[in-house]
Amino acid sequence: MTNTNSARVEFWFDPSCPWAWMTSRWVDEVAKHRDLDISWNIMSLAVLNEDKEDLSDFYKAFLPRAMRYTRLVASLAEIEGKHIVKPLYDALGTRIHPGGQKDVDEVIAGALAELGLDPALARYADSDEYDAQLRASHAEGISRVGQDVGTPVLAVNGVAFFGPVISPAPKGEQALSLWDGVVAAASYDGFFELKRSRTRDPQFD
């Protein structure tokens, strides 16, 4: 019988992805009721798509903005320590997703101020100084699931999946029921894919 009350969880996210944001809110909800040892890790949609030539105009505009956020998170993880990754993700994501803020500089400035960090750290959003660490974190996550997916990547007790892709993020017993299903799927080495087409956009709290 799988113990769904305790689990080692690894979560890879791109701060710009609304679907990763929804999944992260669900993991937060589960963590209120279950013993989860969670590590939060950066991945990059810009890196994932850097060699693709048939990108839509939307993605051509979106990915450079997304890269700025991922560079900031990767840099501060090195400068401030890994403990800053989740609070920074929360501060950025709250502004980007439910907050609907579009100006990257304003989002970053607000997030740094919320966490009491030096505003000068914003410069790392435009610096490649820690790109090696960013790419290493991205590669670690994507190597678990393959190149034909995106963000988030969620690993439970060492078994990784893309997703789950959910909207809205479930609460209470629904959140725990979904979690138990994911843990059960992760417990079977032969489970690879379960999917249906999305019929709604991300629904934020």
Side-chain angles (χ1 to χ4, degrees):
M1 185 73 177
T2 301
N3 180 7
T4 56
N5 291 312
S6 178
R8 177 170 56 90
V9 180
E10 300 159 276
F11 194 105
W12 282 267
F13 65 92
D14 184 310
S16 295
C17 178
W19 298 105
W21 178 254
M22 302 296 295
T23 308
S24 72
R25 299 311 94 182
W26 163 65
V27 171
D28 279 351
E29 176 72 9
V30 174
K32 296 175 185 176
H33 308 281
R34 297 288 170 82
D35 179 20
L36 305 185
D37 177 17
I38 311 174
S39 66
W40 299 89
N41 308 283
I42 196 69
M43 64 181 295
S44 171
L45 289 171
V47 172
L48 185 67
N49 290 281
E50 64 185 353
D51 295 326
K52 296 181 180 177
E53 299 179 354
D54 57 345
L55 293 174
S56 67
D57 289 341
F58 170 81
Y59 269 98
K60 289 177 181 177
F62 168 81
L63 293 177
R65 297 197 306 270
M67 188 63 168
R68 296 186 69 196
Y69 291 129
T70 56
R71 276 178 161 162
L72 181 73
V73 175
S75 297
L76 267 61
E78 297 298 317
I79 296 166
E80 299 289 331
K82 280 280 288 184
H83 69 276
I84 204 65
V85 171
K86 180 56 161 54
L88 182 57
Y89 180 30
D90 290 343
L92 292 169
T94 298
R95 289 165 171 79
I96 297 167
H97 302 300
Q101 291 182 237
K102 303 298 185 184
D103 188 296
V104 177
D105 292 324
E106 289 182 3
V107 169
I108 290 173
L112 293 177
E114 179 182 327
L115 300 180
L117 296 171
D118 185 346
L121 291 169
R123 77 175 184 85
Y124 286 100
D126 300 300
S127 170
D128 62 2
E129 184 173 347
Y130 294 100
D131 275 13
Q133 290 88 338
L134 165 61
R135 288 177 176 274
S137 179
H138 172 87
E140 171 64 19
I142 210 69
S143 69
R144 306 280 195 94
V145 291
Q147 291 287 334
D148 57 340
V149 296
T151 175
V153 170
L154 176 71
V156 180
N157 296 325
V159 179
F161 302 106
F162 163 58
V165 176
I166 51 178
S167 181
K171 300 287 197 301
E173 287 300 319
Q174 279 193 324
L176 298 178
S177 179
L178 178 60
W179 178 256
D180 292 345
V182 170
V183 173
S187 70
Y188 176 57
D189 182 63
F191 180 84
F192 295 102
E193 186 172 352
L194 181 69
K195 185 175 181 178
R196 63 173 178 165
S197 296
R198 293 194 296 264
T199 59
R200 67 183 66 157
D201 292 329
Q203 298 177 6
F204 306 118
D205 290 338

